[in-house]
Amino acid sequence: MAKHTHEIRKLAKLTGPILVAQLTQMLMSVVDTVMAGRKDAVDLAAVSVGGSIFVPVTLLMFGIALALAPIVSHFDGSKKYRRMANMLQQGLYACAIFGVLALVVLQFSPYILDWMEVEDRFRQVTLDYVNYIAWGVPGFVIYVILRNFCEGLSNTMPSLVIGFIGLLINIPANYIFIYGHFGAPELGGAGCGLASALVFWGMAISMAIYVFTSRRYKKLHLLRRWYPPKFDDVAYIIKIGFPIAMSLFFEVSLFAAVALLIAPLGPTVVSAHQIALNISSLVYMVPLSISMAVTLRVGFALGAGEPKNAMLSFKIAMVFGMVFAAVNGIIMYLGGAWLASLYTPDTAIINLAATLMGLAAIFTMSDTFQAVAMGTLRGYKDTKWPMIMAFISYWPFGLTVGYILGRTDWWVPRMGAAGFWIGFISGLTVAAVMLTIRLRFVSKHYERKQFEQTVNNAT
């Protein structure tokens, strides 16, 4: 029981700050939407479309940075502190490569907008937004690498504190650049892009000051020597991080594709779908935070040569996640109409959103299960097969089921948006099953390998 109690405390201590940090990032997006919307509809639309172009690109950098956390946690568990400075710097090199790639991809924004055939002012504000926020890409690279380095050392509090710093920069920066106060140019929606760039740099500088001046990291000698890029180390980080980035992309692109497929069903259906998705995305921050925390605990346990403790972390994280999902599911099922009414007074939208929220209650269970399993596998630094499983379950399976149920009469009379939500549930359930099977295989293989190494050392 003492071991279980210790693990529960450790996991909770890591999860809390990560959750708050994730929520502050979501809140920044909400602030952008509200403040741009108060300018006018074109500025709001430009921020929405500009964000839709920028966010998928950032997944490349974010995925590479996420690879650093389990690598560092393995080092921490095995007390290989001397290797951390080099790996931190190699992480910066690896993430910078994808930062440059992101900047190249953003240069194609005009062609995307030409294909969309938007009006001239809308096009210009969107391009200005993208061009301004692109200046923040180097800051974003530095921040996410340093954040994951800290989290890899089981220190998640800086993520919380600096998340609030970012929010404190974001609100006044938006106010100044959207509306043109204090002598600044009035940029409208494009001002959100400039404000976001300043936020990235502010968070990067804040995190750098903390990491390189904290007594906690003094023994790591992070700046004693600057290491040149090492192909093997950079390739190793990319090998772990790129599949993480692609897994994130498959999930984000699935929801984007469904939004496009639902669009012809009319504004009532689209609005109800968006409300249910918005609430579900907010709720997902909890299992996502548990997933990120269990990655750190599993990595630490494996680095310390304790694979059984790694699976204990998984089991406790799963219990945490599923209890939350069950409670949340009951709230969403019983209170779906009330939650939807917070977004709109339209009765038709509320009724449909309430139906979708009932499905979202089941969706949350599957989503939590697969998120915790995925996070545990990342702790094992196993990311290639989870990426493949994510693709299969989200796209060929989940989207296909959703399309058949939502837009055709092949199996049952077309169900509209509800059909796509059943597709989400189906895809996430398949992902949960496949990832759990993969985790069982990987954990047994790791325990067997650990046993053989112990026997060899004894002989």
Side-chain angles (χ1 to χ4, degrees), residues 230-298:
K230 298 178 181 178
F231 178 81
D232 289 345
D233 288 340
V234 172
Y236 178 60
I237 293 169
I238 293 175
K239 180 182 177 181
I240 296 172
F242 184 72
I244 296 175
M246 293 308 298
S247 297
L248 295 172
F249 176 76
F250 294 148
E251 186 170 4
V252 169
S253 59
L254 169 65
F255 289 108
V258 168
L260 294 174
L261 291 170
I262 285 178
L265 301 179
T268 297
V269 176
V270 171
S271 299
H273 168 73
Q274 188 58 41
I275 289 171
L277 187 60
N278 186 264
I279 294 171
S280 298
S281 299
L282 182 62
V283 167
Y284 179 65
M285 291 300 103
V286 176
L288 175 62
S289 301
I290 295 173
S291 172
M292 294 171 73
V294 78
T295 297
L296 308 179
R297 292 303 298 158
V298 168

Side-chain angles (χ1 to χ4, degrees), residues 247 250-251 254 370 390-399 428 431:
S247 297
F250 294 148
E251 186 170 4
L254 169 65
Q370 68 92 26
F391 173 73
I392 292 171
S393 56
Y394 296 162
W395 279 84
F397 193 87
L399 185 62
L428 290 169

Side-chain angles (χ1 to χ4, degrees), residues 417-452:
F420 285 100
W421 278 82
I422 294 173
F424 288 155
I425 294 168
S426 302
L428 290 169
T429 302
V430 169
V433 172
M434 293 173 72
L435 291 169
T436 303
I437 293 171
R438 175 65 183 174
L439 176 58
R440 181 175 176 80
F441 170 79
V442 170
S443 63
K444 292 297 181 184
H445 174 75
Y446 208 102
E447 288 180 16
R448 185 167 59 251
K449 185 178 176 182
Q450 186 76 22
F451 176 75
E452 291 172 354

